[in-house]
Amino acid sequence: MLSARVGMHPLDQKIIYKDKERDSAAFLDTAGVKDRSKLVVEEDATAKAKRLLELRRTDKMEKAAKAIAVVARDVDKLAHKVSALEAIVNKGGRVVEEDVARLIELLMNELIKLDAIVADGDVKQLRRMQVRRVQKYVETLDLVKIKNNAIPKANHQINNKQQQQKTQSQHQQFYYHQQQKQPPQPVVVTANWETFDSLLMPSTSTTTTNTVAAVPTTTRFDWELF
């Protein structure tokens, strides 16, 4: 009630009754206050300073908690990418090394942000949990990098073998289709007597030549040219 009238925070008030400071949580009848009793209210400088320090600390913890929450959201986004890379490597696939290095760099930046946050109590414990979480993801990426470097040697031989088998299969299929497309060749049976008779028969080309040669030529005279 007094705080609303005089504008003084309740925790900054010091109540004096009969020259003795009274506890603000005490009841009036217990302290012996009656109607028309005189109460003196003063500002407690020590209590005010203590309250302001506590208020400042509370504000700082709230800001720290909000900053940790922002880092946690960013780490959640990076965690999905870490899981995706880990799944690819565990299945025997290969990932781009630059992507792994980039994720590690981003996670280290989040660690730097967490180290810059000053926290106490529960907020400090929350920050510690996020630090351990980020460190775990960095360790996971280190394992991904090791597995990724070990994959090419084994997969290279397997891929070459599979490529050779695929090429051989394609060649066999191509040869089979070519055989299917070629029409069957007719079988010609020639007897010896047929060959002998063909040699005795007159050549058609020879007859034609003789006929052309037998055509008389026309004599041309000078007076006809004139």
Side-chain angles (χ1 to χ4, degrees), residues 158-173:
I158 295 174
N159 292 334
N160 287 341
K161 186 176 181 180
Q162 291 177 351
Q163 186 66 26
Q164 291 177 0
Q165 292 177 354
K166 183 178 180 181
T167 304
Q168 292 177 358
S169 177
Q170 291 176 351
H171 288 171
Q172 292 175 357
Q173 292 178 1

Side-chain angles (χ1 to χ4, degrees), residues 58-70 114 117-120 123-124 126-127:
T58 303
D59 292 340
K60 187 181 295 184
M61 292 303 101
E62 290 179 356
K63 291 180 180 179
K66 291 180 180 179
I68 293 173
V70 173
L114 290 172
I117 298 175
V118 179
D120 292 326
V123 180
K124 185 177 182 179
L126 183 62
R127 185 192 66 179

Side-chain angles (χ1 to χ4, degrees), residues 45-74:
T46 304
K48 183 178 181 179
K50 186 177 180 180
R51 182 182 64 83
L52 292 177
L53 290 175
E54 185 65 23
L55 181 61
R56 186 179 300 176
R57 178 179 175 276
T58 303
D59 292 340
K60 187 181 295 184
M61 292 303 101
E62 290 179 356
K63 291 180 180 179
K66 291 180 180 179
I68 293 173
V70 173
V71 173
R73 287 195 296 268
D74 294 338

